[in-house]
Amino acid sequence: METLVKLLLGLVLLLLANAVPLLASPKAHHHDFVVQAAKVKRLCKTHNSITVNGQYPGPTLEINNGDTLVVKVTNRARYNVTVHWHGVRQMRTGWADGPEFITQCPIRPGESYTYRFTIQGQEGTLWWHAHSSWLRATVYGALIVHPREGSSFPFPKPNRESILMLGEWWDANPIDVVREALRTGAAPNVSDAYTINGQPGDFYKCSSKGTVIVPVDSGETNLLRIVNAALNQQLFFSVANHKLTIVGADASYLRPFTTSIIMLGPGQTTDVLITTDQPAARYYIAARAYASAQGAPFDNTTTTAILEYKKAACPAKAKCSSPKPVAATLPVFNDTATATAFTTRLRSRERAEVPTDIDENLFFTVGLGLNRCPPGVRARNCQGPNGTRFAASMNNVSFVLPKNFSILQAYRQGVPGVFTPNFPGTPLVKFDYTGNVSRALWQPVPGTEIYKLKYGARVQLVLQGTSIFTAENHPIHLHGYDFYIIAEGFGNFNSKTDTAKFNLVDPPLRNTASVPVGGWAVIRFVADNPGAWIMHCHLDVHLTWGLGMVFVVEDGIGASQSIEPPPADLPAC
Ligand code: C2O
């Protein structure tokens, strides 16, 4: 009898031991990232670039919706570094978000920090990148979130998936490029190439050997996961002779529609199905700038990869040369009509849960500025237009990163003097934002100011572009949240008439909004994730100049509405 009880008990314990971890803890994926310099040869020259694990672009992370990622980042480079998981909601795990001096102090050379977070309710393509100075020029990679285990895409399963990361390459050390710009006060040098998976492609010197090939069979569907990882440039993208069926963006599904051109702002991702229904041949996949700022210099080159039908390929080692790829058509660089036609077509796949009954009605201007040369500063440090220094701001506050503490740590520990809670919810001075703005309004005020949100606040935010110095399309990215883009338009937002344009039924859910050049976008979200969340322009040069601010979202009631305690290895400030 006793042995039978023991046996049964043992059996029950065995069953529990196996079942409980499956139920209680999501599947965890462990990775090691070593940030280190590595030799990267591009455009005929070898650079000592900062990479992860010596790879450029860095490793692709793949998980299922619901899984946990544990990434130990060790810094073997000579710069401070942090890693940001772009678009990951980081529910209650704000310590793992990554932006330097916002949620953590940097990982110093020789040190390490383990990022640990769970992806919940997001499916599609995201990415990761360094969030310190301009290191993300070479420190980035894809983060693929497959459907939850046991479920599948809300569209027929594609035969193949290909990641296409669009990047931007300087024939120089990008850290030197930004340092030089900060020294002179002028705009930084534009890049020398765009890249697809790190390769510029056929139209650049010393490049065609490395051109990325996407092999396909006839009559299949291929899911292209496209990421704009460029530092400072919106990009148009197309594939010669092939239609693109949009199915997702920023790891949210969209109602499918077909187009031949897409536009991505830096930070944005788009998931696209293509069907290989064309004659077996080789077709260019191409991307080039959508440059909306009038008269501003930009990199006017075109990057390419090749969609290659296997039947049209020259077999390895065979004595033939592959046929020339079919050319791709792309809009002209300033084709705002095409860019807007694309972004305004995006719709959620399902009916959206857009917050109504708004608690916080916010209005932020976003744009550039010019600082007069400060007294005592030499002319060589004021080489911006007419002897000024470039700046940028939201609501006229030019964001300054704390120097030796993070905002999240300062907030949680009550450390004074790191930030002030005075970010204005609406502009202190109202003016014709997209008109001929008086020079008196061109100079923003520097500050490390945050805007506090109560847990659960329903937020509406109008992002209003300005024409200060020049109007321009701004990719505005919010950390820790996805938001609905309920409307966009040109000119000044009119709170009486433009509300008629609000889509509260099926607007797209994104983490980065393209605010139209000389226009506005309205976003909504519920502040249900406590922490310190930076919102900034994802053109790194604009962030460098101060185009950002921070929302501090308070804890709600109980543990499930509060940020977790900081990890023990959070870098010391
Ligand atoms: Cu993709 Cu704050 O960044």
Side-chain angles (χ1 to χ4, degrees):
M1 187 62 197
E2 207 182 314
T3 38
L4 189 69
V5 170
K6 266 192 192 157
L7 205 74
L8 277 173
L9 201 72
L11 203 70
V12 167
L13 283 177
L14 195 79
L15 280 172
L16 276 177
N18 282 310
V20 166
L22 280 178
L23 292 175
S25 53
K27 191 160 153 204
H29 305 252
H30 292 257
H31 294 273
D32 274 303
F33 275 19
V34 179
V35 179
Q36 60 189 94
K39 296 224 176 319
V40 178
K41 190 172 177 203
R42 293 294 182 279
L43 308 181
C44 323
K45 256 186 17 214
T46 302
H47 293 262
N48 220 9
S49 300
I50 307 299
T51 65
V52 165
N53 302 350
Q55 291 168 245
Y56 165 71
T60 296
L61 305 180
E62 295 193 57
I63 73 166
N64 289 97
N65 176 8
D67 292 356
T68 296
L69 267 173
V70 182
V71 186
K72 180 177 181 191
V73 177
T74 304
N75 185 0
R76 295 245 160 77
R78 62 191 172 105
Y79 303 107
N80 288 339
V81 76
T82 66
V83 178
H84 168 54
W85 317 90
H86 182 113
V88 173
R89 289 253 3 231
Q90 298 290 3
M91 239 356 188
R92 303 181 47 232
T93 50
W95 303 106
D97 190 40
E100 177 181 78
F101 295 121
I102 307 295
T103 59
Q104 67 167 97
C105 280
I107 308 168
R108 315 273 172 194
E111 307 281 304
S112 66
Y113 175 47
T114 300
Y115 295 84
R116 189 184 300 266
F117 52 89
T118 299
I119 297 202
Q120 204 55 265
Q122 301 184 283
E123 290 183 9
T125 307
L126 294 174
W127 60 301
W128 55 266
H129 62 77
H131 212 299
S132 176
S133 183
W134 277 21
L135 283 178
R136 79 170 176 86
T138 52
V139 179
Y140 65 86
L143 199 176
I144 308 301
V145 190
H146 295 289
R148 189 172 288 282
E149 236 173 275
S151 82
S152 56
F153 298 115
F155 43 84
K157 192 176 188 300
N159 302 85
R160 211 184 284 274
E161 297 186 17
S162 312
I163 299 165
L164 297 172
M165 295 208 83
L166 313 179
E168 201 170 3
W169 180 261
W170 274 261
D171 199 7
N173 177 349
I175 302 299
D176 293 343
V177 175
V178 63
R179 282 188 180 157
E180 172 72 2
L182 285 174
R183 189 181 64 76
T184 63
N189 289 345
V190 298
S191 54
D192 297 287
Y194 300 109
T195 54
I196 298 179
N197 296 348
Q199 292 291 344
D202 290 2
F203 301 163
Y204 299 87
K205 55 185 178 180
C206 311
S207 231
S208 57
K209 275 209 192 79
T211 300
V212 168
I213 306 281
V214 179
V216 289
D217 286 309
S218 293
E220 64 172 23
T221 18
N222 191 345
L223 174 62
L224 305 181
R225 300 175 175 277
I226 308 154
V227 179
N228 185 349
L231 222 60
N232 290 327
Q233 194 59 63
Q234 293 85 344
L235 294 165
F236 285 122
F237 172 96
S238 78
V239 181
N241 293 17
H242 288 73
K243 288 261 171 285
L244 310 171
T245 301
I246 312 304
V247 291
D250 296 5
S252 290
Y253 293 117
L254 293 171
R255 187 187 307 154
F257 69 93
T258 298
T259 176
S260 52
I261 305 283
I262 68 174
M263 192 281 286
L264 304 99
Q268 295 181 322
T269 74
T270 312
D271 286 359
V272 165
L273 291 173
I274 63 167
T275 305
T276 46
D277 53 5
Q278 295 301 305
R282 305 168 84 231
Y283 299 88
Y284 272 127
I285 297 169
R288 76 165 175 229
Y290 163 48
S292 62
Q294 248 184 43
F298 67 98
D299 175 352
N300 197 13
T301 61
T302 302
T303 181
T304 51
I306 299 168
L307 183 79
E308 182 175 82
Y309 285 60
K310 286 182 200 155
K311 269 186 261 162
C314 178
K317 292 198 197 108
K319 280 213 180 72
C320 59
S321 54
S322 296
K324 222 173 154 256
V326 178
T329 1
L330 284 163
V332 290
F333 71 89
N334 58 359
D335 189 347
T336 291
T338 296
T340 314
F342 174 69
T343 54
T344 53
R345 269 182 92 177
L346 308 187
R347 297 284 180 278
S348 286
R349 185 160 186 117
E350 310 285 342
R351 201 194 148 85
E353 284 166 46
V354 185
T356 49
D357 301 317
I358 295 303
D359 303 302
E360 293 272 2
N361 215 324
L362 306 176
F363 187 108
F364 296 177
T365 61
V366 300
L368 300 184
L370 291 179
N371 284 329
R372 283 181 284 272
C373 201
V377 173
R378 301 186 192 195
R380 64 165 187 256
N381 301 117
C382 293
Q383 296 185 42
N386 307 314
T388 60
R389 292 179 59 83
F390 267 109
S393 71
M394 284 189 176
N395 275 354
N396 205 40
V397 184
S398 189
F399 185 72
V400 181
L401 278 176
K403 297 255 155 2
N404 39 37
F405 221 75
S406 83
I407 289 181
L408 185 56
Q409 280 164 294
Y411 170 65
R412 300 301 298 192
Q413 299 167 15
V415 178
V418 176
F419 62 84
T420 49
N422 301 326
F423 189 85
T426 52
L428 298 180
V429 180
K430 315 238 182 310
F431 57 97
D432 177 4
Y433 307 109
T434 51
N436 190 358
V437 183
S438 145
R439 295 277 164 144
L441 296 170
W442 282 30
Q443 178 152 325
V445 182
T448 307
E449 297 190 359
I450 62 108
Y451 190 90
K452 227 182 235 183
L453 291 171
K454 289 240 174 321
Y455 180 88
R458 289 155 299 192
V459 181
Q460 172 176 302
L461 168 57
V462 177
L463 295 162
Q464 173 67 62
T466 76
S467 54
I468 293 174
F469 184 66
T470 176
E472 173 167 10
N473 176 296
H474 295 279
I476 303 294
H477 171 49
L478 172 60
H479 288 222
Y481 289 88
D482 283 329
F483 49 75
Y484 289 106
I485 306 176
I486 61 170
E488 60 174 80
F490 292 100
N492 299 337
F493 174 74
N494 183 323
S495 60
K496 298 222 166 56
T497 54
D498 285 328
T499 46
K501 297 189 185 133
F502 287 3
N503 174 3
L504 303 179
V505 178
D506 57 3
L509 188 62
R510 303 205 73 159
N511 61 54
T512 306
S514 300
V515 178
V517 47
W520 49 269
V522 184
I523 67 171
R524 284 191 184 180
F525 63 97
V526 180
D528 58 1
N529 191 15
W533 306 108
I534 186 169
M535 183 174 72
H536 62 88
C537 183
H538 218 283
L539 304 172
D540 263 22
V541 53
H542 290 180
L543 176 57
T544 305
W545 289 337
L547 216 173
M549 56 78 66
V550 171
F551 285 111
V552 167
V553 180
E554 296 174 342
D555 279 349
I557 300 158
S560 68
Q561 296 185 356
S562 301
I563 188 167
E564 290 177 1
D569 63 341
L570 187 72
C573 290

